[in-house]
Amino acid sequence: MEQGRSVAEMAQQLKLLPRQITALEEGRFDELPGPVFVRGFVRNYARALGLDPEPLLASLEVKPGAEAVTLTPASNAEGEIRIRRSRPWRIVLRYVLPLFVLLLLVTVYFDWFRMPSPTRQETAVLLPPAVEAQDTTTDVLGSHSRSAVAEPFSSPAVSVASEDDSLGETTQSAPASDVSEPEKARAEAPSVVSPENPSEPESVLRFRAEGRSWVEVRDASGTVVFSRILDAGQEASLDGTPPFSLVVGNAAVVRVEFRGEPIEIKEVSKNGVGRIRLP
Amino acid sequence: MFGFLRSLFSNDLAIDLGTANTLIYMRGRGIVLNEPSVVAIRVDPSSGKKVIQAVGQTAKQMLGKTPGNLQAIRPMKDGVIADFVVTEQMIKQFIKKVHASSLLSPSPRIIICVPCGSTQVERRAIRDAALAAGASKVFLIEEPMAAAIGAGLPVAEATGSMVVDIGGGTTEVGVIALGGMVYSGSIRVGGDKFDDAIVNYIRRNYGMLIGEATAELIKKQVAIAFPSPEVLEVEVKGRNLAEGIPRSFTVSSNEIREAIADPLNQIVSAIKIALEQTPPELGSDIAERGIVLTGGGALLRDLDRLIQEETGLPVIVAEDPLTCVARGCGMALEKVDMLDTLFATE
């Protein structure tokens, strides 16, 4: 219109719609997208007409940034969409773990308060090697003939008794090729030992179990010198220097002999464990 | 150790770490720094150590004119970090400049913008550089988003807006609606590519060698994107390749338009691709409102007309396009505590 150009021509040049051009010319800015675009369109329009856009822009009442800037989309609700997924760890946490803890508690209860014997028996396993050796010795004694008493004893006090024995002992430590040698020696040993040492004292302590039971013996210093489980009919014996303190489980079925004399275990607790001290 | 204390005494910053210029917006104070992203490094002859001689405008004046022991570096290239250590030092120096000298070294929270086409590694590098420069926390924001906010576009509304940010190293095209980017595209073409194109054109057609600074001067004075009856001319000096002697010559705007036609076409096709990829509902919004140009490239004469003719859509240049991204970052900074969705992840 100004400079004799039609709205259509201007719209064509500015790539705007004719209604936008008329709105712009008539100052109906609310029909246009927004202040930024109004100012942009005015600037483009002025330039297309060869006018200086600045005074026109200054006269515009729409200023950029006049209204508060919003940077996030409008919101009128709140909440979270939960994604339901089977989580194995959650099942473990909710069901398996408490079950496991319960099981653990039950086990501990029975272990600790109801069955004292197994815990005692544990000490036997922890015996130092020397004592262990002695232990196996008595085992051998218990299960085999008593005549072989002296043979495997490594304690000097006993092995003094027979020279053949100590010979057998040393050859035993020789290389494996000489296996037959100690074998022979061992075969000889019983015949030699039993007649030669009639005076040798019987084992200081002997146990004979008539039912399943366990025995633990401590010496004067309090160290465990003997600890075993005895099955029905099993025997065991022990050497050493008294005094001993004995603890016998299921005392009713164990016969104890001290220096060949039977000992009666008087002090018996209600769960059958007997305690006795031998001089 | 005193990070918390230091951040308490530091003002939050928004940084537009551009290839050509770095702008810093300080919370509550607006844009406090606008300097070229150039660092001059001097090699100390006695110890052999590299020390920073100058940053910003002072360093830019040294570009292409340095003696042997000086080096003027532009540590950013194509919108991303080309030299990590130098960038870190540059950010540190700029932060120091905007913070009045205080007992504690500043440790502000920083919003820093990244090109939307940058890779994870490049984003990580920018974040790390800002952290190494003393930031207590770094938020990244994509450039088109910041540009749109800075241009005053209704980013949070259910209408589509298209913003084209033509920077020094990259051109970013973004379609934004409901506070997020619906489409974003980035090409590594920007003001630097225009300069290169001008240097090449002058060498080819005039047999003259000019520096980048001269090319930039030509671009600012006479470059035009769309044919115009008005012809501008500028007299420049360069070294004649055949004679090896500096000579002066005159170039016109039409020649420069020819020179920069290639990078311009790349920008136009990036915009066309973006329009192709935009959902139709948003496309109709863009057709109604038009495309908004921001960044230093938007100052190229008649670039809006070129895009307008090529796309057939109205194109407007944002007010003060050079600072759009920095202002947009700044507006995001003002509301940094409430915005999570706006920030880019690595």
Side-chain angles (χ1 to χ4, degrees):
Chain A
M1 299 198 295
E2 291 166 60
Q3 298 182 357
R5 292 207 242 175
S6 72
V7 170
E9 268 176 15
M10 287 312 294
Q12 173 62 30
Q13 193 180 337
L14 297 176
K15 314 292 176 197
L16 291 171
L17 300 169
R19 66 166 166 82
Q20 287 177 312
I21 297 286
T22 40
L24 206 60
E25 283 177 345
E26 291 164 15
R28 288 181 278 114
F29 297 135
D30 49 335
E31 288 176 27
L32 293 166
V36 176
F37 296 96
V38 170
R39 290 174 73 82
F41 293 161
V42 168
R43 195 187 288 116
N44 286 359
Y45 194 12
R47 223 179 33 184
L49 297 176
L51 302 171
D52 182 13
E54 291 313 318
L56 269 173
L57 287 174
S59 68
L60 281 180
E61 58 253 44
V62 273
K63 291 272 191 299
E67 56 197 72
V69 194
T70 49
L71 300 181
T72 41
S75 165
N76 61 355
E78 214 171 297
E80 190 189 347
I81 311 284
R82 288 247 176 87
I83 301 160
R84 286 196 182 277
R85 238 183 273 150
S86 68
R87 293 186 182 130
W89 58 267
R90 185 167 279 186
I91 296 168
V92 167
L93 219 69
R94 191 168 289 174
Y95 302 106
V96 180
L97 205 71
L99 219 77
F100 183 75
V101 169
L102 201 77
L103 210 76
L104 206 78
L105 283 174
V106 169
T107 317
V108 164
Y109 176 75
F110 277 102
D111 235 33
W112 215 244
F113 300 103
R114 282 302 177 83
M115 293 151 78
S117 43
T119 53
R120 295 297 178 89
Q121 159 194 342
E122 224 98 82
T123 53
V125 182
L126 298 172
L127 288 179
V131 182
E132 189 85 75
Q134 209 171 12
D135 188 13
T136 45
T137 310
T138 46
D139 187 19
V140 168
L141 290 181
S143 51
H144 294 287
S145 75
R146 304 245 280 96
S147 56
V149 165
E151 193 261 314
F153 267 29
S154 53
S155 67
V158 184
S159 57
V160 166
S162 145
E163 273 193 26
D164 291 5
D165 242 354
S166 56
L167 194 92
E169 223 30 69
T170 44
T171 41
Q172 206 160 12
S173 62
S177 55
D178 292 319
V179 167
S180 56
E181 197 67 18
E183 210 76 71
K184 256 185 248 168
R186 196 171 294 168
E188 278 175 10
S191 55
V192 180
V193 168
S194 39
E196 219 176 75
N197 303 324
S199 59
E200 189 185 349
E202 296 278 312
S203 300
V204 181
L205 259 173
R206 297 191 60 217
F207 303 100
R208 215 176 88 233
E210 285 163 5
R212 196 169 154 74
S213 141
W214 56 271
V215 179
E216 187 181 274
V217 182
R218 286 170 192 269
D219 65 7
S221 64
T223 47
V224 178
V225 292
F226 180 81
S227 175
R228 272 182 60 92
I229 297 175
L230 299 173
D231 282 325
Q234 216 173 359
E235 288 186 13
S237 53
L238 168 72
D239 283 301
T241 43
F244 294 119
S245 58
L246 273 68
V247 184
V248 182
N250 202 7
V253 297
V254 181
R255 303 274 166 271
V256 183
E257 276 180 32
F258 181 56
R259 294 193 174 135
E261 287 170 27
I263 303 289
E264 199 183 334
I265 303 169
K266 286 173 186 148
E267 196 186 316
V268 176
S269 72
K270 63 178 174 192
N271 54 7
V273 178
R275 285 164 208 278
I276 193 162
R277 199 173 162 76
L278 299 172
Chain B
M1 185 181 168
F2 299 110
F4 171 72
L5 213 64
R6 280 160 61 200
S7 62
L8 210 67
F9 287 102
S10 308
N11 280 321
D12 293 347
L13 301 177
I15 301 183
D16 171 14
L17 189 63
T19 314
N21 294 298
T22 297
L23 286 87
I24 297 186
Y25 180 105
M26 188 182 277
R27 196 170 188 165
R29 280 178 54 193
I31 290 173
V32 288
L33 181 132
N34 182 357
E35 298 254 14
S37 309
V38 186
V39 182
I41 295 169
R42 179 168 50 85
V43 181
D44 201 33
S46 55
S47 61
K49 278 183 189 162
K50 288 182 171 180
V51 290
I52 293 197
Q53 175 78 20
V55 286
Q57 193 59 47
T58 321
K60 194 184 179 183
Q61 285 166 358
M62 300 178 184
L63 268 180
K65 299 175 181 176
T66 50
N69 66 333
L70 260 182
Q71 212 184 348
I73 297 176
R74 297 179 61 187
M76 304 289 292
K77 195 171 190 296
D78 297 337
V80 294
I81 292 177
D83 189 325
F84 185 85
V85 182
V86 178
T87 307
E88 176 198 315
Q89 276 304 320
M90 184 178 75
I91 298 173
K92 204 179 223 169
Q93 298 295 327
F94 284 151
I95 292 174
K96 228 191 257 177
K97 270 191 179 186
V98 298
H99 268 96
S101 61
S102 65
L103 210 61
L104 294 162
S105 60
S107 179
R109 285 190 301 176
I110 291 180
I111 294 186
I112 198 159
C113 60
V114 289
C116 56
S118 55
T119 62
Q120 271 191 349
V121 176
E122 290 161 346
R123 288 177 186 210
R124 184 83 196 200
I126 289 179
R127 182 192 288 273
D128 287 350
L131 286 172
S136 61
K137 197 167 183 193
V138 177
F139 302 93
L140 299 180
I141 185 168
E142 289 185 329
E143 259 165 38
M145 188 47 131
I149 297 169
L153 299 184
V155 287
E157 284 174 24
T159 50
S161 317
M162 182 182 255
V163 64
V164 180
D165 177 49
I166 305 164
T170 58
T171 293
E172 316 265 324
V173 186
V175 177
I176 291 157
L178 291 169
M181 305 254 291
V182 180
Y183 171 87
S184 67
S186 175
I187 52 167
R188 302 205 164 181
V189 173
D192 287 351
K193 284 284 183 332
F194 295 150
D195 295 347
D196 289 349
I198 292 170
V199 170
N200 287 334
Y201 180 87
I202 301 283
R203 193 179 53 214
R204 211 169 42 236
N205 293 38
Y206 285 82
M208 303 284 279
L209 207 59
I210 55 167
E212 276 177 37
T214 310
E216 196 183 346
L217 181 97
I218 296 172
K219 177 181 76 181
K220 281 182 176 167
Q221 297 208 341
V222 300
I224 192 162
F226 195 71
S228 152
E230 184 191 7
V231 176
L232 299 167
E233 285 189 337
V234 65
E235 190 183 324
V236 289
K237 295 171 185 70
R239 173 160 59 101
N240 190 302
L241 279 170
E243 301 171 28
I245 295 163
R247 295 266 181 244
S248 116
F249 59 100
T250 307
V251 286
S252 71
S253 52
N254 282 333
E255 287 170 311
I256 300 305
R257 184 175 56 77
E258 200 185 318
I260 59 173
D262 186 46
L264 282 177
N265 283 338
Q266 291 184 42
I267 291 173
V268 169
S269 52
I271 295 169
K272 283 182 178 169
I273 289 168
L275 288 167
E276 266 176 36
Q277 304 283 329
T278 305
E281 280 300 325
L282 296 176
S284 70
D285 288 339
I286 293 166
E288 167 98 12
R289 297 150 163 267
I291 300 166
V292 179
L293 298 187
T294 69
L299 294 171
L300 185 66
R301 243 170 248 100
D302 284 344
L303 178 61
D304 52 340
R305 280 201 65 196
L306 174 78
I307 297 169
Q308 200 162 277
E309 293 302 326
E310 290 281 347
T311 59
L313 299 174
V315 175
I316 62 169
V317 178
E319 311 246 339
D320 200 2
L322 271 172
T323 62
C324 261
V325 172
R327 280 185 287 126
C329 281
M331 286 183 207
L333 182 70
E334 302 286 350
K335 302 184 176 182
V336 67
D337 299 317
M338 308 182 254
L339 303 169
D340 272 339
T341 52
L342 211 65
F343 298 117
T345 50
E346 268 167 23

